[in-house]
Amino acid sequence: MPAAIVLSHDEQLRRLADGCPEAVPRAVVAGDPCLDQLRAGLAFRAAYRRALGLLPGQRLVVVSSTWGRGSVLGAPGADVLRRALAELPADEFRVLAAVHPNAWYGHGAWQICHWLAPLTEAGMLLPAPETETWKAALCAADFLIGDHGSLTMYGTALGIPCVLGAFDDSAVAPDSPMDRLGRLLPRLSRTVPLLPQLLHAARTQPDDPGLAALRQSVSSAPGESARRLRRLFYSRLKLPEPAHPAATRAIPVPSPGPAAPRLPHLPATLVTATADDEPGGGVTVRIRRFPATAQRTQSRHLADAHLAADPDDPDPRWPRSADVLLVPAERGLLPDEVSGSALARRFPGCALVAVEEAGHGCTALFGDGTRLRARWAERPAWASFAVAASAAYAWAGSGPVPLRPGVRARLTVRAGDHPEAGLVEFTVP
């Protein structure tokens, strides 16, 4: 018989009394130190978001996976991580995978990183298991896709809109809080786009009375766990407690981890770009970019998308099929050197070659030899020369644009529904 059995809620004490009444005298209801730490960490949400590399206005989707065949990573047919990257616009969303340490140590860190390498190369964050980054990520999260692991319960307790990407009902005790969570939270549909499911959770879950009651079932001593646990430990040691109050330890600010390998080439991207006339004669180009490597089929969210790729990508399928070729400034290729160059001869089917210039702008060269300069007059945090190039491609293809010398235009550019817009000036030299 242990010296003490630490429980987080009175409900667990009642279940212990039903299952093992002789253990009740050793039971101590001490609350949940992890939940206390997470709630204290909400005050530092902005610091955690900056440390995770989130730009202003971006939303963070945490995908949590416990271990075993019924988890998000282990469930047959589960494709949640790839789908999140494939369907959520990269300039508006970041995806972080919080994988349980048992999965890391069961398979090995090399194997986990190898399995998920195509996703981390496409921008997914993958914190190392020995860090507390998953706690910082929950404090920073806007949405959660979970399973029957404890992280899903913690996210629900924090009020994060949540959808279940998997759930092993057989691994959950009947009538437990986790069992109720599995019945209350929506299951991820394979036939409905992901983003509407997340947005529906965000609209409906804050006022859900069942979820409100569930949030109270995680700890019956909120904010008191440090004090109760210290009292227990010192009483067992037969030592007096320190005079200073017991306090919850702050969640460390995440350090850069192995999650985002930096490739020497620009990732291939499928881009939807629409140009719409504004009242008064202006034009707004709305850009949504998705990692090409995460796509499986031409889905509804990629209707009329164009492909932007690096001409030196070692995977030849991307530059050979690209509508827009992106040449970073570090390659040292000047705009005057593109027309008639080996680059143009290698990819004769490309509609536009964009060469990066200072200030995240570019010179765009069309297949007919027309040159267009794109410069960010008002540059938001998400701006890049790749976005400017796709805006130029959309503008030129939206109708009869007079691409003749001396033409100037100013366009509003938006990254999907991102709240911050940019302004690009187009000039035909």
Side-chain angles (χ1 to χ4, degrees):
M1 181 70 70
I5 302 172
V6 179
L7 307 176
S8 63
H9 200 280
D10 294 330
E11 178 267 343
Q12 297 170 4
L13 184 62
R14 292 190 290 272
R15 281 195 286 143
L16 182 65
D18 292 338
C20 187
E22 59 269 31
V24 171
R26 305 293 181 97
V28 177
V29 178
D32 190 316
C34 185
L35 182 59
D36 288 350
Q37 195 179 27
L38 288 167
R39 284 176 171 162
L42 293 176
F44 309 107
R45 173 180 168 87
Y48 297 140
R49 289 175 66 84
R50 285 194 300 270
L52 292 170
L54 292 167
L55 298 176
Q58 277 188 320
R59 289 176 282 184
L60 177 63
V61 179
V62 174
V63 182
S64 70
S65 178
T66 188
W67 75 95
R69 295 185 59 82
S71 66
V72 159
L73 287 183
D79 198 19
V80 178
L81 287 172
R82 184 206 62 82
R83 185 179 172 189
L85 285 168
E87 294 189 30
L88 299 175
D91 296 308
E92 301 170 62
F93 292 88
R94 294 298 303 273
V95 178
L96 182 144
V99 180
H100 197 284
N102 282 2
W104 282 92
Y105 296 124
H107 297 286
W110 182 91
Q111 185 66 74
I112 292 289
C113 290
H114 177 71
W115 279 334
L116 299 181
L119 304 182
T120 56
E121 290 174 2
M124 186 185 77
L125 302 172
L126 180 64
E130 63 272 13
T131 69
E132 295 183 88
T133 300
W134 69 270
K135 297 178 183 177
L138 277 186
C139 294
D142 297 284
F143 302 99
L144 174 64
I145 303 174
D147 54 20
H148 58 282
S150 59
L151 196 148
T152 312
M153 182 64 79
Y154 285 135
T156 302
L158 294 179
I160 303 170
C162 184
V163 176
L164 293 174
F167 198 87
D168 187 355
D169 296 279
S170 65
V172 174
D175 298 322
S176 65
M178 186 61 74
D179 179 57
R180 297 203 302 275
L181 179 142
R183 288 185 270 111
L184 287 169
L185 291 181
R187 309 284 173 114
L188 187 64
S189 170
R190 298 182 184 180
T191 59
V192 178
L194 175 58
L195 183 54
Q197 296 184 67
L198 296 177
L199 296 177
H200 181 264
R203 287 193 303 270
T204 60
Q205 292 181 9
D207 299 323
D208 187 303
L211 288 176
L214 182 66
R215 294 182 188 111
Q216 304 304 315
S217 69
V218 181
S219 170
S220 57
E224 297 185 24
S225 184
R227 179 177 62 84
R228 294 190 181 197
L229 285 173
R230 192 177 74 172
R231 178 189 301 163
L232 172 65
F233 298 153
Y234 275 84
S235 68
R236 296 299 171 184
L237 292 169
K238 294 181 170 50
L239 293 173
E241 282 193 67
H244 62 269
T248 298
R249 188 177 60 86
I251 300 168
V253 175
S255 300
R262 185 178 178 186
L263 298 176
H265 60 85
L266 296 175
T269 306
L270 284 162
V271 186
T272 62
T274 56
D276 299 315
D277 294 333
E278 295 178 342
V283 176
T284 293
V285 178
R286 195 174 297 271
I287 303 287
R288 287 186 172 92
R289 303 191 301 157
F290 306 87
T293 55
Q295 309 302 324
R296 292 275 175 86
T297 58
Q298 187 76 4
S299 303
R300 283 176 289 174
H301 71 285
L302 295 178
D304 301 321
H306 66 263
L307 176 63
D310 190 315
D312 296 316
D313 192 317
D315 189 336
R317 59 183 166 155
W318 304 124
R320 286 176 183 173
S321 305
D323 304 288
V324 177
L325 287 175
L326 304 170
V327 183
E330 61 197 36
R331 305 287 165 80
L333 184 65
L334 298 176
D336 291 339
E337 301 171 344
V338 174
S339 297
S341 68
L343 180 63
R345 292 193 296 273
R346 281 168 58 199
F347 307 106
C350 177
L352 183 152
V353 178
V355 181
E356 183 180 14
E357 294 186 354
H360 299 283
C362 67
T363 293
L365 297 108
F366 292 87
D368 61 0
T370 303
R371 180 178 301 184
L372 180 71
R373 291 195 66 194
R375 183 182 70 86
W376 288 97
E378 296 178 8
R379 180 162 59 90
W382 47 261
S384 67
F385 92 96
V387 174
S390 286
Y393 180 84
W395 180 61
S398 63
V401 179
L403 293 179
R404 60 179 184 272
V407 169
R408 303 176 68 90
R410 290 168 66 92
L411 278 73
T412 300
V413 179
R414 290 190 172 276
D417 294 324
H418 194 288
E420 187 178 9
L423 189 65
V424 173
E425 292 183 343
F426 290 147
T427 306
V428 180

